[in-house]
Each structure stands twice: as C-alpha cells, then as structure tokens.
Amino acid sequence: MFGSKKKRRASLNDLMAQLRPDLSRESLGVGPDFPGVAPNPLLSSDARKRNAELRTGALALGVLVDWREVNGNPRVVLMFDVETAGGISFRGIADEDLTITELTRLAPGQTLPVRYRPAVMDHYVALARDVDPAHVQQLSDEIASRKPT
C-alpha cells in the first residue's frame, strides 16, 4: 500500500498479465497506454468512475472481434473494432456482466452499439443497451456513407 499510486497500478497490471495472460494488453490487441482490466471493478474507484462516464459517453458502432470470460457471473471482456461518427477507428474493450442468454448470443462479426469517452480515448467502451434502434441505424448509415464503394 506504500509507494506511488502509479507504481501500484503498474504492478497490479503486471500481476494481472501473469495471472491471466489472455487479459494482457498484447492479447487484447491494445497499446501500452491501456490501463488494463480491473480484477474487481466494483472495488476499484477508477473503474466505477469510468463506468459512470461511459454510460453517458458518445455513441459508436463496434464489431465484436472476440471475448474472454473473466468469471462465472458471467463477467466478460468484449473486444470490438470500433468506428465513431467522426471517422475514428480503434480497438475497444468492454468489461460487462452478461446474462447466460446474452453470452450464448455472442458471435464474432456482430455489430453492436457502444459508448466511448472521446476526451479520454483509452480503449474502454461499454455496450449501449439504452439507445434507440433508430439512432443506431442513423449512425450506421452515417458511417457507411463515408466508406468508399
């Protein structure tokens, strides 16, 4: 508990990478600036703050690449290739609690609405479960209109 917060955070990320190599930065496909997956987001004040900000974040579309089950709740880390309305693309990571039904419906290549924090851009996203389907369609059309045919 002693020492700088940055050092503790770095050693926690190293420990998580050793315990769960499938949740390492390299395995998830994100860069060295990714803060990492919290062992228990309910106990992490940073994770609670991040999740609150993501609930009101900007809307984007994410294509599901893969996922990793973290525990039997089931808590999963979902990896998305995200595209924003502004034309920015990045690898997004969502740390979500899903029902068994939702988990069985996951398939690589699915496009799902996600929220991200444009001011931070730290690879974290959250499923946008509350968004109107018409708004998602509008965003999808806007993104498709930018792509060359």
Side-chain angles (χ1 to χ4, degrees), residues 7-138:
K7 257 187 196 176
R8 284 195 313 262
R9 198 173 283 145
S11 63
L12 179 61
N13 288 335
D14 294 340
L15 178 63
M16 279 299 291
Q18 289 173 0
L19 294 173
R20 293 290 307 268
D22 59 324
L23 297 178
S24 70
R25 291 177 177 93
E26 295 78 24
S27 178
L28 296 173
V30 294
D33 294 332
F34 179 62
V37 176
N40 185 342
L42 299 176
L43 297 178
S44 167
S45 62
D46 290 341
R48 287 193 311 270
K49 180 182 174 199
R50 177 184 65 243
N51 291 338
E53 291 173 356
L54 283 170
R55 282 193 289 276
T56 60
L59 190 63
L61 293 180
V63 176
L64 184 63
V65 175
D66 198 4
W67 66 92
R68 307 278 195 288
E69 193 168 334
V70 178
N71 63 24
N73 283 357
R75 178 178 163 216
V76 294
V77 172
L78 305 165
M79 292 167 283
F80 292 99
D81 284 334
V82 178
E83 188 155 353
T84 70
I88 299 169
S89 298
F90 64 95
R91 171 61 53 93
I93 306 297
D95 189 345
E96 299 280 344
D97 290 323
L98 301 179
T99 66
I100 296 296
T101 304
E102 290 171 322
L103 188 60
T104 60
R105 291 182 179 160
L106 290 179
Q110 276 182 304
T111 300
L112 300 168
V114 296
R115 294 195 182 277
Y116 71 104
R117 301 178 298 170
V120 179
M121 295 302 290
D122 61 357
H123 296 281
Y124 281 112
V125 298
L127 291 176
R129 300 170 192 237
D130 61 338
V131 69
D132 177 32
H135 193 160
V136 174
Q137 186 60 51
Q138 178 185 3

